[in-house]
Amino acid sequence: MKKLNQVLALAGIAVALGLSTAQLAAQGRRGGGNGGNFDPAQFQQRMMDRYKEALEVKSDDEWKVISERIEKVSTIQRDLRSGRGGFGGPGGRQRGGNNGGDQAAADAGGRQNRGGFGGEPNPNVEALQKALEAKASSEEIKGKLAKVRSSIKDKEANLVKAQDELRKVLSVRQEATAVLMGLLK
């Protein structure tokens, strides 16, 4: 009986440790351990600090010019990612419905993934998503798909221009670093 009690006590401790570890890991995924309060401005500042360090920028004047161009490239890249539908499938919504939740919550989740910090929502993507949900005709879907492709093409052209402007103010070493960091092609 004593042995059984010891085994049960150890099993209880193991379960408690497992649950607390899982909870800590979940907190870390939600917001870096700060209770899920993700701050886009802090994230953006940390990214810019990493860019400055990686590009080995010493002068504040040089950084001012470079950082403005990095921000423009980053913004267009985010818009391109969100303009293609965001996370979890079309329109940023999870496939397969919302598991019994109300549609407004699902819609808000879709917009949240496409807009805000993830980039501006693309109205053409939203129109295409609505057409798909409404089981629109093939012709209507083709028209909306053409508009999505056109808007993506425009954003890609803007990205190339922004990357060229950034490239102009970088040394060869900085340019190579920017390519490795995904800012340039």
Side-chain angles (χ1 to χ4, degrees), residues 54 65 76 102 117 122 171 178 181 185:
V65 172
I76 296 170
D102 65 271
F117 189 70
N122 184 333
S171 69
M181 297 178 83
K185 292 181 181 177

Side-chain angles (χ1 to χ4, degrees), residues 48-57 173-174 177 181:
M48 295 305 286
D49 291 345
R50 286 186 197 124
Y51 289 141
K52 183 177 182 181
E53 183 181 331
L55 295 172
E56 300 174 350
V57 178
R173 183 177 187 85
Q174 290 171 326
T177 302
M181 297 178 83

Side-chain angles (χ1 to χ4, degrees), residues 9 21 29 38 51 54 60 83 108 120 123 131 138 160:
T21 302
R29 283 190 302 271
F38 177 72
Y51 289 141
D60 287 341
E120 289 301 314
S138 293
V160 168

Side-chain angles (χ1 to χ4, degrees), residues 3-83:
K3 198 123 181 132
L4 178 61
N5 285 341
Q6 288 175 337
V7 169
L8 288 174
L10 284 175
I13 291 170
V15 168
L17 284 173
L19 290 174
S20 64
T21 302
Q23 185 178 15
L24 286 173
Q27 284 178 352
R29 283 190 302 271
R30 282 195 310 260
N34 62 359
N37 296 328
F38 177 72
D39 184 355
Q42 281 182 347
F43 178 80
Q44 181 71 15
Q45 184 58 50
R46 284 194 303 269
M47 287 301 299
M48 295 305 286
D49 291 345
R50 286 186 197 124
Y51 289 141
K52 183 177 182 181
E53 183 181 331
L55 295 172
E56 300 174 350
V57 178
K58 304 296 183 218
S59 159
D60 287 341
D61 292 334
E62 179 187 11
W63 179 241
K64 184 177 185 330
V65 172
I66 292 173
S67 67
E68 289 171 355
R69 295 175 189 207
I70 288 174
E71 286 178 16
K72 186 171 184 178
V73 167
S74 296
T75 299
I76 296 170
Q77 286 175 331
R78 275 192 308 273
D79 285 348
L80 265 169
R81 281 190 302 270
S82 66

Side-chain angles (χ1 to χ4, degrees), residues 90-181:
R93 294 192 189 120
Q94 297 297 320
R95 294 179 191 266
N98 57 358
N99 296 328
D102 65 271
Q103 189 60 42
D107 289 344
R111 281 191 298 276
Q112 180 181 357
N113 285 339
R114 288 175 289 167
F117 189 70
E120 289 301 314
N122 184 333
N124 294 314
V125 170
E126 291 179 348
L128 177 59
Q129 177 64 38
K130 287 178 183 174
L132 289 171
E133 290 171 356
K135 308 275 190 228
S137 70
S138 293
E139 289 305 311
E140 185 178 347
I141 291 172
K142 282 182 185 178
K144 294 189 183 308
L145 184 57
K147 287 182 180 180
V148 168
R149 287 182 172 143
S150 176
S151 68
I152 289 172
K153 193 177 226 179
D154 291 344
K155 287 180 182 182
E156 287 172 340
N158 289 337
L159 177 60
V160 168
K161 288 179 192 173
Q163 288 174 325
D164 286 343
E165 291 299 312
L166 174 59
R167 188 176 289 109
K168 288 178 184 176
V169 298
L170 299 177
S171 69
V172 174
R173 183 177 187 85
Q174 290 171 326
E175 181 179 351
T177 302
V179 167
L180 293 176
M181 297 178 83

